[in-house]
Amino acid sequence: MMLKEIIGIAQEAGEAMLKIYNDAQDVEISRKDDDSPLTKADLASHHIIVDALKELDPETPIISEESGVPAYDERNGWDTFWIVDPLDGTKEFIKKNGEFTVNIALIDDGIPVMGVVYVPDKETLYYAEKGKGSFKQVGTEAPEPIYSTASTSDDELIAMQSRSHGSGKLVEQLKEKGLNVVKTIPAGSSLKFCLVAEGKADIYPRMGPTMEWDVAAGDAVYRYSAREGSHSSPLTYNKEDLKNGSFLIGLKDNVEF
């Protein structure tokens, strides 16, 4: 497939974002129709990624957070498509805490078969491909495989928690569902998937809504971090409404959310 090229595209977009991030004392913010924040970095990354994907793979359609979503009547016929979040964690970008990412994923027959998550401020790359596993690379170091083991609800669990959307009631909510959560780790953007994929946390519960482009690349990194085969995931793609409901990543058990 085109994994090497996709990694290069994500890194180029990340460098453009980082230039804006480092050059501006205050990040200039506008608002989208849903009142979510938008910066010049979102748009710069979007144009780099979409233009590069169109050149690299002109036959495959693209959904990007910043380009609008084609009507379902059109998308319903897509077997394969790219889905992109040019800047995941815009709130973290604005807060300048470094926890923002570039997310690019390839969806085939409803599942992510390739995913790249790049963390520009940390020069850290996570990537995965179906059948080949998940990897982490820091700076110019050699990539290393990452692994995770799906937990059970009886285990003592470390849970990821959204840094910007987290709830102080998360542990209580999870315990009500029979989960023995002993610790939470806050993080921004798709890093939450990646930290579960590399075994630094056991589960990532998401109580609020996300969009498919928020989760696809991180979902791929988690799915293919299994030592054999792939982990199951509750997330699906190219739904009529691209909004996801609540979900839980990292458990063998089926826990309803």
Side-chain angles (χ1 to χ4, degrees), residues 38-79:
L38 179 71
T39 72
K40 289 180 180 179
D42 293 80
L43 297 175
S45 177
H46 162 78
H47 289 299
I48 288 169
I49 295 168
V50 170
D51 289 351
L53 287 177
K54 286 179 178 177
E55 183 174 343
L56 178 68
D57 187 20
E59 301 303 315
T60 303
I62 305 165
I63 296 175
S64 170
E65 179 178 11
E66 308 308 341
S67 60
V69 179
Y72 186 63
D73 287 348
E74 177 185 347
R75 291 188 288 109
N76 193 32
W78 296 356
D79 293 323

Side-chain angles (χ1 to χ4, degrees), residues 67-183:
S67 60
V69 179
Y72 186 63
D73 287 348
E74 177 185 347
R75 291 188 288 109
N76 193 32
W78 296 356
D79 293 323
T80 304
F81 64 96
W82 296 101
I83 190 161
V84 175
D85 192 343
L87 198 173
D88 184 28
T90 302
K91 291 182 178 179
E92 315 310 327
F93 184 91
I94 293 166
K95 293 174 184 175
K96 289 186 173 284
N97 65 20
E99 293 184 346
F100 55 92
T101 59
V102 180
N103 294 343
I104 306 174
L106 181 65
I107 307 298
D108 185 55
D109 198 23
I111 67 168
V113 294
M114 180 194 298
V116 173
V117 176
Y118 182 53
V119 195
D121 192 54
K122 315 293 184 189
E123 290 188 35
T124 299
L125 178 72
Y126 296 89
Y127 61 89
E129 191 169 1
K130 185 179 180 182
K132 297 186 178 179
S134 296
F135 298 83
K136 178 182 181 180
Q137 183 176 14
V138 180
T140 58
E141 296 176 6
E144 295 189 356
I146 55 175
Y147 300 104
S148 62
T149 302
S151 302
T152 71
S153 55
D154 294 329
D155 293 334
E156 291 188 344
L157 300 169
I158 299 173
M160 294 306 306
Q161 181 168 6
S162 173
R163 191 176 294 281
S164 290
H165 302 280
S167 165
K169 298 181 179 178
L170 179 64
V171 172
E172 181 182 326
Q173 290 173 314
L174 293 172
K175 287 187 174 180
E176 287 174 358
K177 296 181 181 295
L179 303 181
N180 183 21
V181 175
V182 296
K183 181 181 178 181

Side-chain angles (χ1 to χ4, degrees), residues 26-43 66 90-91 93-94:
D26 295 307
V27 177
E28 186 177 332
I29 307 164
S30 58
R31 292 282 168 180
K32 294 189 253 187
D33 290 343
D34 64 359
D35 202 38
S36 59
L38 179 71
T39 72
K40 289 180 180 179
D42 293 80
L43 297 175
E66 308 308 341
T90 302
K91 291 182 178 179
F93 184 91
I94 293 166

